[in-house]
Amino acid sequence: MLNLRSPLGLLTKFSAQSSQRLIHSSAIRANQSGSLFGDITQVTESPKQKGDFSDSLQTVNEKFDINKVTIENDEKLQQYIGHKPTSAVDKLLTPLKKQLYQLNVNQNGFFKNNQIVTMDGEQYKLKLTQEEIDVLEPSLYVKSYRIKGSVKKATVFLRFIRNMNVKQAITQGQFHSKKIGREVSKLLSDSLKTAPELKLNPDQLYISQIWSGSDGTFVKRVDPKGRGRTGIIHHPYIHVRVILKTPVTLKRLAWEREQKEELRKPRVQLHDEKLRFKVEGHYKW
C-alpha cells in the first residue's frame, strides 16, 4: 500500500491493477455546481414546505404578520403549556357519580355527605371522604415562580391574609411593609383572570390555604470583611402556593359544625362513674 499526497489531502493506492483517478483542485474550480465528482452528481435544492413559519421570517418582500401565530392556534405551544383549566368534577368522577354529586349540590346548595338523592325514581346515597370533598368543591390552585425571600419572613404576611377575601388581600399586599406582599398581590391578581374560565365569581373567592416553601438551593456570594477575612452571603428563594375557594365551602363547613354540635353529648360535672373519694356531710369552704 502506497500513500500519495495531493492538493485535496491524503490519497491511498491499493495496487497497480486497480484503476486510480486523481482529483485536482482545478476540476472543482471549473465545476460551477461545486460537486466533487463533476457532472456525475447534480445538486438539487430541497423543496421548501409550504406555509413554514421560518420561511415567512426569511422572506424580504413579504411582510411578517405578528398575528399569524398566537397562543391559541399554536399546537406545540399548547402541548408545552398544558391543558386548559378544568373542574375536578369533570376530571375525576365517573358519569354516574357526577350526576349524583350535581343533584346533591343543586338540592342543598353544597354537598351533604350521606344524603339520599332521588334520580329516575330510584334513591341513591353518595359517600365521600373529607379529602375527596375538598378536592371536588369549586376551587382554584395557584402557584408562583421563584421569589427572592425567606420562608420565615413570608410566613408573617401569609398568616395575615389567610381566610381573607382575594381582593381585600390584594389591597393589603400592595401597601404592606414586606416585599413579599407585592409579589403575592401580583399572584392573586393573575388568579382572578383564570377564575372566569372555571365559571367562578372573582368577587366571592377567598383564600382557603396559602403556604410557602424553599425553592431550590440558595445562591451564595462572597462577603469580604476586614483583616483579610471573608464570609458567605446566602440568597434564599421561595415559592408560594394558594388554594382559593368559594362560599360553597363556607356553607358546608358551617353545616358540619352544626351536625357536630348536635351529636355532642351533654356536658355534666360528674360523669356516670363511681366516686373515688369519701363524701362528707358538710361543705368545706
Side-chain angles (χ1 to χ4, degrees):
M1 183 173 65
L2 180 62
N3 295 333
L4 300 177
R5 290 285 179 178
S6 68
L8 292 180
L10 184 64
L11 299 178
T12 304
K13 181 179 180 181
F14 294 93
S15 61
Q17 298 178 357
S18 62
S19 59
Q20 181 181 3
R21 180 182 177 184
L22 296 178
I23 302 174
H24 300 279
S25 60
S26 59
I28 297 178
R29 299 193 195 96
N31 186 13
Q32 297 179 358
S33 61
S35 176
L36 190 64
F37 296 98
D39 298 335
I40 299 176
T41 305
Q42 296 181 358
V43 179
T44 57
E45 296 182 358
S46 59
K48 296 183 179 180
Q49 297 179 358
K50 295 182 179 181
D52 192 2
F53 179 69
S54 60
D55 295 341
S56 60
L57 291 175
Q58 295 175 1
T59 54
V60 180
N61 298 328
E62 182 183 358
K63 293 183 178 180
F64 173 69
D65 187 7
I66 194 171
N67 298 323
K68 185 177 181 180
V69 177
T70 60
I71 299 177
E72 290 76 12
N73 60 14
D74 196 339
E75 298 179 357
K76 293 184 178 180
L77 183 59
Q78 288 292 339
Q79 294 176 1
Y80 177 77
I81 294 175
H83 61 278
K84 295 182 179 180
T86 55
S87 61
V89 177
D90 299 333
K91 187 177 180 180
L92 302 176
L93 291 183
T94 59
L96 178 59
K97 287 185 176 181
K98 180 180 176 181
Q99 293 180 4
L100 297 177
Y101 181 84
Q102 291 177 350
L103 286 174
N104 194 329
V105 173
N106 295 334
Q107 180 179 347
N108 304 313
F110 56 92
F111 179 77
K112 288 186 178 182
N113 209 5
N114 291 327
Q115 293 292 318
I116 298 175
V117 179
T118 304
M119 185 177 65
D120 298 334
E122 297 183 0
Q123 294 183 348
Y124 298 90
K125 182 187 290 186
L126 183 60
K127 182 179 180 181
L128 300 175
T129 61
Q130 190 65 32
E131 294 180 356
E132 292 173 346
I133 295 174
D134 293 337
V135 172
L136 294 176
E137 282 180 340
S139 61
L140 182 63
Y141 175 70
V142 187
K143 56 184 179 180
S144 68
Y145 296 103
R146 299 185 69 187
I147 301 175
K148 187 174 181 181
S150 63
V151 177
K152 184 178 179 180
K153 295 180 180 179
T155 306
V156 176
F157 175 73
L158 299 184
R159 287 181 177 177
F160 170 65
I161 64 174
R162 190 173 297 163
N163 297 327
M164 189 181 293
N165 185 273
V166 175
K167 292 190 175 180
Q168 184 180 358
I170 292 173
T171 306
Q172 294 292 338
Q174 291 175 351
F175 296 98
H176 203 267
S177 59
K178 298 289 184 181
K179 293 182 180 179
I180 191 65
R182 291 184 289 274
E183 298 292 341
V184 174
S185 63
K186 292 179 183 178
L187 177 64
L188 296 176
S189 300
D190 295 338
S191 65
L192 295 180
K193 301 177 183 178
T194 313
E197 299 182 10
L198 293 172
K199 299 179 180 180
L200 300 177
N201 189 0
D203 298 332
Q204 297 180 351
L205 292 176
Y206 77 97
I207 300 174
S208 176
Q209 300 178 31
I210 184 168
W211 67 96
S212 64
S214 178
D215 194 270
T217 58
F218 292 174
V219 177
K220 298 180 181 180
R221 185 166 59 87
V222 178
D223 182 18
K225 300 181 182 297
R227 299 184 180 181
R229 297 176 299 172
T230 57
I232 298 176
I233 299 177
H234 298 270
H235 297 277
Y237 286 87
I238 62 173
H239 61 263
V240 179
R241 303 289 187 265
V242 190
I243 296 179
L244 307 178
K245 291 196 174 183
T246 60
V248 177
T249 305
L250 297 177
K251 295 179 181 179
R252 179 184 60 83
L253 294 175
W255 176 77
E256 289 180 353
R257 285 193 296 267
E258 292 178 0
Q259 296 296 317
K260 187 177 181 180
E261 190 68 25
E262 291 178 0
L263 296 175
R264 182 178 295 176
K265 296 181 180 180
R267 298 178 181 178
V268 293
Q269 295 181 357
L270 297 178
H271 299 282
D272 190 9
E273 297 177 357
K274 293 182 180 181
L275 298 177
R276 298 180 181 273
F277 57 91
K278 183 180 179 181
V279 181
E280 299 181 359
H282 58 275
Y283 293 98
K284 290 184 179 180
W285 300 100

